[in-house]
Amino acid sequence: MLKAVILPTAGALLVLALMVGAVLHFATEGSDRAAAQRQARLAETGLQAAIAGVRKDQEASTYWDDAVRRAHERPLDFDWIDQNLGIWFHSYYKHDETYLLDAQARPIYAMRDGRRVEPGQFAGVARRVLPLAGQLRRQLLRGDLRPASPTEQTPGAATVAMVRGHPAIVSVKALLSETGDIAQAPGSEYLHVSLRYLDGNFLADLETKYGIEGARFVSHPGARAAVPLRDARGAAIGYIEWQAFRPGHAVQQRMAIVLLAALALVGAVLAWLLNRNLRGRLELETSRAQAQHLAFHDALTGLPNRALFNDRLDHALVRARRGEGVALLLLDLDRFKYVNDTFGHQAGDALIREFGSRLTALMREEDTIARLGGDEFAILLPDMTDAAAIDRLCARILTAVHVPFEVLGNQAFVGVSIGVVCAPEGGGDRVDLMRKADIALYSAKAEGRDCHRHFHVSMDVTVKLRGTIEEDLRAALASGEGLELHYQPLVGVEGAMVGVEALMRWTHAEHGPLPPAQVIPIAEETGLIIPLGEWVLREACAAAIRWPGLFVALNLSPVQFRTTGFVERALEIIRESGVRPEQLELEVTEGVLIDDHELVRAGLARLRAAGLRIALDDFGTGYSSLSYLRKFEVDKIKIDRSFVQHLGHTVDSAAIIHAVVTLGHAMGLTVTAEGVETGDQQRFLKLAGCNQMQGYLFSRPVPAEQVAALLARRGALRAA
């Protein structure tokens, strides 16, 4: 009995007691999780309500004729503003800081912690406020007065951000006439800025209104319950953390008696336990199979990943050494970043999946298609070395990609660049073969994208030469050896020399003089264009001081404009040199203007305000040059040399030059023609009304020491 029944029964009862205890534990834990999730939802609700509350609070005082009128009064009635737009927001709405910005985003009033302070306090919050103010200002400039949300009446912009080391709701509203009786030019509206810190009285509101006890702000979540605070881009800037309510834990302490009652259900529990055990084993096997698959396949497309592709390529190379050829293709989508930025990452993921499906439909069963990461794919073609067959396959891939992709209800258009290398001709080492395929891919991109290129040994030489040029250019910038500026004259219509254009020249110690067209792209790709541009600016400033009667023009790269602090650094170099800013002329191309309208507009405005002149180079070659003249303030346009060189050969060139000159003069701009090489061209351009000319007819670019001789010669010619 003891061995046959009691001991087995006691063992079964003990197991049952443990199981019931475990069930009770998991049940109460689930209750605690549900309570924590509910509290998290309440905390999120409280946060969203606080953001909406700040905006509604502002709207009550900014959508008001008196607010518009009082803000434009001079001197300001600070007592009125305190009671309606400043201190009142702290005492009544619990806002921590408010500011009033004029049409140029300059602070004219400031309140912190219930006290009026100097407007200069705005500097501490400007980095977070000005992007919102700029966003709202752009909307107002369009005359767009749509409310910021269905529950609001006026436009605005708001976000959650770290301000002065604290998490805060930052909201910007425009001062608008409620009756419409006060007319304001679009974009000239004053802006009201309000901040409410989320680690202050907001935490007390969470406790009183939503029952969130012990709430506090932390940079990183700990063991307690927490919800993230996310900025406008969705990035977490911190967390609101609190002590979670645990009803299940209290119940667990009172339910120990349930364990004793559960012992009576020994048979059913044992049967259920056995069944659960069997299911668990099946799930474990399924999970193991899934883990095995995920370890070697891409989660987004289901295609082999880099690890599996490398393994298959290694096996294919073993066969290639025995005479079986293999081809390797690396593919990279063109304009994929544009799809991501325009339609969102979900659209980008959908495009990647669809592209993988299209590739699969084109391949043989024995081929391997892999996603290596991002928008980069690879194809392994066993027993395939015929160049013509590979070319036909690449053509089919390009054709398939050119069919528009339907993503999230939108049509997306992309291209693909392909690099091809074959083994054993290209080598038998996987790493080296991948490197050569990547070089071929780079060559396809460099030659216009949306094409395929086979690896050739000359490509490897080119890549190594680029590396040598980069390394030696870095050394030349450090020592100054081999670098100099040449200057090409610009003459007026009467033949007088009015300025020079500074052109970089580099004499390489081994390869001799290198053309700028070879050096500048490498400098831009490697970031060396920044120190190179500063060197050119210093040299041009020094030259301008030597020639006070001439202006000096120099070209700017789009990369320079995308660099933070470029304008400040350029102005600092000019101040240090002592040159008059009016002697400097900065030439920009449409490539600069396309990148970031607002950034470029502000940068150009600052440079022009400092006294520098701005010229739009290669005018007429871009698809939207006229629109840039409307959007960006420039002083000069330079007619591209291609139109000048075709004078007398095509009617279009003469008509275009006349049109550009007429347009430039109508807008009050100086018009310069480039590439003047003959007297007939000079006479035509003079009659057409060009203000300045530049080209080999007057002089090729010369070193600085020859500029004085050119000045004397031009003066003598003019006198004659």
Side-chain angles (χ1 to χ4, degrees), residues 125-137:
V125 302
R127 189 167 68 91
R128 298 301 186 187
V129 171
L130 290 181
L132 295 177
Q135 172 188 334
L136 178 56
R137 186 76 68 191

Side-chain angles (χ1 to χ4, degrees), residues 569-625:
R569 182 62 182 146
L571 294 177
E572 180 183 353
I573 291 173
I574 293 169
R575 283 194 298 270
E576 291 174 352
S577 71
V579 71
R580 290 182 297 109
E582 295 79 10
Q583 273 191 268
L584 297 179
E585 185 174 281
L586 302 181
E587 297 186 3
V588 298
T589 63
E590 289 184 62
V592 173
L593 306 184
I594 288 172
D595 286 337
D596 188 332
H597 283 191
E598 292 306 319
L599 177 65
V600 173
R601 190 197 304 267
L604 291 179
R606 289 191 59 189
L607 292 169
R608 293 186 80 243
L612 283 80
R613 290 181 295 179
I614 306 299
L616 182 58
D617 199 9
D618 301 335
F619 185 79
T621 59
Y623 69 93
S624 57
S625 295

Side-chain angles (χ1 to χ4, degrees), residues 536-715:
V536 170
L537 180 57
R538 288 193 191 91
E539 293 292 313
C541 289
I545 292 174
R546 294 199 300 272
W547 310 316
L550 302 177
F551 68 83
V552 178
L554 58 152
N555 294 279
L556 293 182
S557 162
V559 178
Q560 290 174 273
F561 252 103
R562 289 196 297 268
T563 303
T564 303
F566 160 70
V567 173
E568 292 78 3
R569 182 62 182 146
L571 294 177
E572 180 183 353
I573 291 173
I574 293 169
R575 283 194 298 270
E576 291 174 352
S577 71
V579 71
R580 290 182 297 109
E582 295 79 10
Q583 273 191 268
L584 297 179
E585 185 174 281
L586 302 181
E587 297 186 3
V588 298
T589 63
E590 289 184 62
V592 173
L593 306 184
I594 288 172
D595 286 337
D596 188 332
H597 283 191
E598 292 306 319
L599 177 65
V600 173
R601 190 197 304 267
L604 291 179
R606 289 191 59 189
L607 292 169
R608 293 186 80 243
L612 283 80
R613 290 181 295 179
I614 306 299
L616 182 58
D617 199 9
D618 301 335
F619 185 79
T621 59
Y623 69 93
S624 57
S625 295
L626 299 182
S627 67
Y628 293 136
L629 289 182
R630 292 195 299 268
K631 295 176 183 176
F632 298 89
E633 297 183 4
V634 299
D635 303 284
K636 174 191 289 189
I637 52 178
K638 299 187 72 175
I639 301 174
D640 187 70
R641 66 180 64 248
S642 61
F643 299 112
V644 176
Q645 290 172 352
H646 287 95
L647 281 174
H649 302 288
T650 63
V651 178
D652 290 349
S653 293
I656 290 172
I657 290 174
H658 275 294
V660 171
V661 172
T662 302
L663 172 67
H665 289 170
M667 300 184 71
L669 305 177
T670 301
V671 180
T672 298
E674 296 182 292
V676 182
E677 297 181 357
T678 68
D680 289 341
Q681 292 172 351
Q682 180 187 16
R683 286 186 288 274
F684 174 86
L685 293 168
K686 181 177 179 179
L687 291 174
C690 285
N691 305 102
Q692 298 170 3
M693 301 179 208
Q694 178 181 359
Y696 288 173
L697 177 64
F698 311 109
S699 173
R700 292 178 178 270
V702 298
E705 56 268 18
Q706 297 182 24
V707 171
L710 281 178
L711 269 170
R713 186 160 65 249
R714 294 305 306 173

Side-chain angles (χ1 to χ4, degrees), residues 38-39 41-43 45-51 53-54 57 92-94 196 201-213 215:
R38 181 176 180 276
Q39 284 191 305
R41 289 194 295 271
L42 288 173
T45 300
L47 176 60
Q48 296 305 316
I51 296 173
V54 169
D57 295 344
Y92 192 78
Y93 292 131
K94 302 179 182 179
R196 185 182 183 189
N201 52 51
F202 168 75
L203 299 179
D205 288 350
L206 279 182
E207 181 169 354
T208 57
K209 294 180 180 179
Y210 300 95
I212 308 297
E213 297 181 355

